[in-house]
């Protein structure tokens, strides 16, 4: 039964669901700024947030299918996409970022609240995704899911394990299509020949 379920959750389906639920954030110029900063190793913050949203969705699908636990997937994806919306390079020495691991959830939540309309679940996801590094317990199951997915993705990215290149490619492809940076050329039609 689990294998049958696993076959139905394809990377394509995840990419489509993720883009549908987070389109306003993904296409925003504000979120595109995250491509300018690296997170773990050579992974950009944008790519990391896409990966975390992917694994958060996988966990949510599993919880719903196996344990019949409802998950607000719209809030889950939006919170995951913005969980590291701190908008600075924490690797630069001498800048006043404090202890990044402890402070960036608050900065990300404040930035996201400024630039996007967020519900309470999304704010909780962003502000508490570093638990237990930060002392605030997540208040929603969606926050716990994103926190777990974030830790898995951070480990994979740090050790250069490719866990999300396909979904990142699909999301970037959809961004290019939406921006008109890419067009599909079907070649000559029979009428033109």
């Amino acid at each position: 039964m689990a294998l049958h379920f696993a076959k139905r959750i394809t990377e394509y389906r995840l990419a489509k669901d993720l883009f549908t639920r987070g389109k306003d954030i993904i296409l925003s110029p504000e979120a595109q700024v995250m491509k300018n900063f690296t997170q773990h190793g050579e992974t950009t913050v944008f790519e990391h947030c896409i990966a975390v949203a992917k694994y958060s969705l996988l966990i949510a699908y599993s919880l719903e299918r196996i344990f019949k636990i409802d998950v607000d997937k719209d809030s889950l994806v939006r919170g995951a996409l913005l969980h590291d919306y701190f908008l600075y390079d924490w690797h630069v020495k001498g800048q006043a970022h404090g202890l990044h691991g402890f402070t960036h959830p608050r900065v990300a939540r404040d930035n996201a609240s400024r630039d996007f309309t967020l519900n309470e679940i999304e704010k909780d996801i962003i502000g508490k995704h570093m638990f237990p590094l930060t002392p605030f317990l997540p208040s929603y199951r969606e926050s716990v899911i994103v926190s777990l997915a974030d830790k898995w993705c951070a480990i994979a990215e740090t050790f250069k394990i490719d866990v999300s290149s396909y979904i990142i490619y699909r999301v970037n492809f959809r961004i290019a299509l939406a921006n008109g940076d890419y067009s599909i050329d079907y070649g000559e039609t029979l009428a033109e020949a």
Side-chain angles (χ1 to χ4, degrees), residues 25-37 46 85 87 116 171-172 175 179:
I25 293 169
I26 292 168
L27 293 178
S28 72
E30 295 84 5
Q32 295 301 305
V33 172
M34 292 190 293
K35 291 181 176 180
N36 298 324
F37 307 111
F46 182 81
Y85 191 66
L87 305 177
F116 301 95
V171 168
N172 283 327
I175 291 168
N179 292 337

